[in-house]
């Protein structure tokens, strides 16, 4: 038995409970991990609320990211040993593989031995944000040195990861945030430029920054009316990669911007990288190297003890955070 985060109906953070649950021993190709920290993501809030890309089956577990120590191995697992410090590549499904609990059993292929210099909190905050940003910017968009890249929801964990990855390869990150309240922190986090979309003319400001070459790559988590000014500021042949839908407003299709500039608007989920062994191996190498040399450094907004999981989810949805929300055990 182990304490596990579960919920029995959709709703706000208050539906989350901590329950004692039987955790199966690892089967062939699986490992059990005694967790030390849990990373929280918007995906979990959406899953809990019933608005995610998959629907919970009650009673439901939850969670995509943890770090901890391997407790036991199933048959056939190689390269890992009991006592290894590991963090997890996000599982494809929270229905079949929820990981927010004291003890979790998962496919061994998801466990990654992270650099020993990484804290439990940082390790639990790494894989969702860096895999998402790497997959979009490097694997798909092929962002290169000297290019401008627009990053919306820039103070989110993925936004900050995208800023760091852009700087690591010598690209020029333009952070888009609603107001100037987080502008100084975004500059300190590595943004070359910060645009406050609720206070400035987004299209005009982006065109001013990027000049005649325009912007080839946009990484967007918001959708909504900003599609029009974002695509208007893009270069011919540009790609807008959409990985979220934070805006409560309808998202217009920018038909004439797309036609006149031959733009690509592309939906993206991190699972397409995590589920492709060769692409995942390249991503792991890039991220582990960056975590090791310090060019990739998770920014933790706030930590909560395991017993305060409801408060942690409330903070996650407050939009007050700058970086990742982490729960510790």
């Amino acid at each position: 038995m182990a304490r596990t985060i579960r919920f029995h109906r959709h709703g706000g953070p208050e539906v989350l409970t901590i329950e004692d649950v039987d955790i199966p021993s690892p089967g062939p190709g699986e490992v059990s991990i005694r967790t030390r920290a849990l990373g929280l993501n918007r995906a979990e809030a959406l899953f809990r609320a019933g608005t995610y890309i998959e629907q919970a089956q009650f009673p439901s577990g939850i969670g995509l990211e943890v770090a901890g120590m391997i407790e036991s191995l199933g048959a056939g697992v190689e390269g890992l040993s009991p006592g290894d410090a590991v963090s997890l590549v996000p599982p494809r499904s929270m229905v079949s593989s929820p990981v927010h609990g004291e003890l979790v059993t998962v496919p061994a292929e998801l466990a990654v031995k992270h650099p020993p210099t990484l804290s439990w909190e940082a390790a639990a905050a790494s894989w969702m944000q860096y895999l998402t940003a790497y997959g979009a910017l490097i694997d798909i968009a092929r962002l290169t040195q000297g290019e401008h890249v627009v990053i919306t929801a820039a103070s989110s964990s993925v936004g900050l990861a995208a800023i760091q990855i852009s700087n690591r390869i010598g690209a020029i990150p333009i952070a888009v945030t609603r107001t100037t309240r987080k502008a100084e922190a975004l500059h300190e986090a590595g943004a070359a430029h910060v645009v406050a979309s609720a206070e400035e003319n987004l299209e005009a400001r982006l065109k001013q920054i990027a000049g005649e070459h325009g912007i080839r790559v946009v990484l967007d988590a918001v959708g909504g009316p900003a599609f029009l000014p974002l695509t208007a500021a893009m270069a011919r042949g540009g790609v807008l990669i959409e990985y979220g839908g934070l805006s409560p407003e309808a998202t217009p299709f920018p038909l004439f911007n797309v036609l006149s500039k031959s733009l690509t608007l592309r939906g993206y989920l991190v699972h397409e990288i995590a589920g492709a062994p060769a692409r995942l191996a390249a991503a792991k190498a890039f991220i582990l190297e960056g975590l090791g040399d310090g060019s990739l450094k998770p920014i933790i907004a706030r930590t909560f003890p395991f017993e305060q999981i409801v408060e942690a989810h409330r903070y996650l949805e407050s939009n007050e955070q700058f970086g990742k929300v982490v729960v510790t055990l």
Side-chain angles (χ1 to χ4, degrees):
M1 303 287 284
R3 293 188 302 164
T4 301
I5 308 300
R6 299 216 292 181
F7 61 109
H8 295 254
R9 59 185 174 87
H10 293 305
E14 69 280 356
V15 304
L16 296 174
T17 61
I18 297 175
E19 303 174 15
D20 289 326
V21 175
D22 282 319
I23 307 300
S25 299
E30 294 181 331
V31 296
S32 287
I33 299 169
R34 181 67 60 175
T35 62
R36 299 291 296 274
L38 321 174
L40 268 57
N41 298 278
R42 286 281 183 178
E44 287 132 13
L46 295 172
F47 183 63
R48 186 203 69 228
T51 57
Y52 192 50
I53 57 174
E54 61 175 352
Q55 291 296 304
Q57 299 174 14
F58 300 122
S60 176
I62 195 169
L64 291 167
E65 284 187 286
V66 302
M69 295 183 69
I70 291 183
E71 187 159 288
S72 57
L73 307 175
V77 175
E78 298 180 353
L80 296 169
S81 302
D84 283 346
V86 296
S87 43
L88 288 188
V89 171
R92 178 174 291 272
S93 169
M94 278 186 276
V95 172
S96 59
S97 300
V99 297
H100 281 180
E102 289 181 318
L103 181 68
V104 297
T105 297
V106 296
E109 63 193 24
L110 300 179
V112 183
K113 289 192 283 188
H114 52 254
T117 54
L118 217 57
S119 69
W120 293 117
E121 293 84 356
S126 293
W127 288 103
M128 177 63 90
Q129 63 172 326
Y130 289 120
L131 270 180
T132 300
Y134 172 93
L137 299 183
I138 308 300
D139 184 273
I140 294 171
R142 304 294 180 187
L143 184 68
T144 60
Q145 182 178 1
E147 284 193 298
H148 289 89
V149 53
V150 171
I151 300 161
T152 71
S155 62
S156 68
S157 59
V158 174
L160 294 169
I163 290 171
Q164 293 179 8
I165 286 173
S166 299
N167 283 321
R168 189 166 194 265
I169 66 168
I172 305 167
I174 304 170
V176 176
T177 186
R178 287 198 72 257
T179 70
T180 55
R181 186 168 60 89
K182 297 178 180 178
E184 183 178 353
L186 284 166
H187 279 301
E188 291 175 355
H193 306 274
V194 178
V195 180
S197 60
E199 300 175 6
E200 303 178 72
N201 182 311
L202 180 58
E203 176 186 344
R205 186 78 176 96
L206 292 178
K207 286 181 174 178
Q208 179 189 42
I209 293 169
E212 63 182 27
H213 298 294
I215 294 156
R216 188 179 68 83
V217 180
V218 174
L219 179 62
D220 182 53
V222 181
F227 256 41
L228 295 174
L230 286 173
T231 53
M234 290 176 69
R236 184 175 298 277
V239 56
L240 185 154
I241 298 175
E242 188 67 29
Y243 73 98
L246 296 178
S247 175
E249 301 179 66
T251 302
F253 183 75
L255 176 63
F256 292 105
N257 290 337
V258 171
L259 285 174
S260 63
K261 299 181 180 185
S262 301
L263 301 180
T264 298
L265 307 184
R266 190 191 194 285
Y268 163 66
L269 293 173
V270 68
H271 306 308
E272 68 179 88
I273 304 299
R279 296 165 76 186
L280 179 59
K284 283 182 180 178
F286 181 97
I287 293 165
L288 287 171
E289 184 178 339
L291 291 171
D293 65 25
S295 60
L296 303 182
K297 187 175 182 179
I299 295 173
I300 309 298
R302 187 173 168 187
T303 60
F304 291 81
F306 186 74
E307 294 75 17
Q308 293 182 11
I309 186 64
V310 171
E311 290 82 359
H313 269 247
R314 286 200 181 110
Y315 184 66
L316 175 70
E317 294 186 310
S318 71
N319 294 323
E320 294 298 315
Q321 74 270 26
F322 187 88
K324 195 83 167 184
V325 181
V326 174
V327 171
T328 58
L329 293 93

